[in-house]
Amino acid sequence: YFFLEGFDFGIGVLTKLLARDRRERRVLINTIGPVWDGNEVWLLSAGGATFAAFPEWYATLFSGFYLPLLLILVCLIVRGVAF
């Protein structure tokens, strides 16, 4: 996920360094516009495919990681709101 999402994270981190004004910041953010949620869709699809193919493994894996998965979800929401 982080490998595929690296472009989006990089733009988010570099807006303070590369953008001198609001117009340049908007140009940087618009470069990730077409692919913004594509990687989140692959992440959800992988979770759904795991549930469909290996339900016992899915139950064991995901029940042990409720708190970390919730924190990741909250961070993704906050990141989207920050933009």
Side-chain angles (χ1 to χ4, degrees):
Y1 171 76
F2 290 110
F3 176 73
L4 294 173
E5 194 75 11
F7 178 67
D8 297 349
F9 287 133
I11 292 295
V13 170
L14 293 175
T15 54
K16 295 282 187 189
L17 297 172
L18 297 178
R20 291 184 215 129
D21 57 7
R22 289 183 147 230
R23 184 184 153 279
E24 289 182 0
R25 183 175 185 267
R26 177 57 35 204
V27 168
L28 286 173
I29 292 174
N30 285 342
T31 61
I32 62 174
V35 294
W36 172 251
D37 286 329
N39 294 320
E40 284 88 351
V41 171
W42 284 111
L43 186 65
L44 292 172
S45 298
T50 303
F51 175 71
F54 309 103
E56 294 172 2
W57 186 64
Y58 174 88
T60 303
L61 178 70
F62 281 75
S63 67
F65 291 111
Y66 280 136
L67 184 60
L69 290 173
L70 178 67
L71 291 173
I72 290 170
L73 180 63
V74 168
C75 288
L76 287 171
I77 292 169
V78 169
R79 181 176 150 241
V81 170
F83 273 126

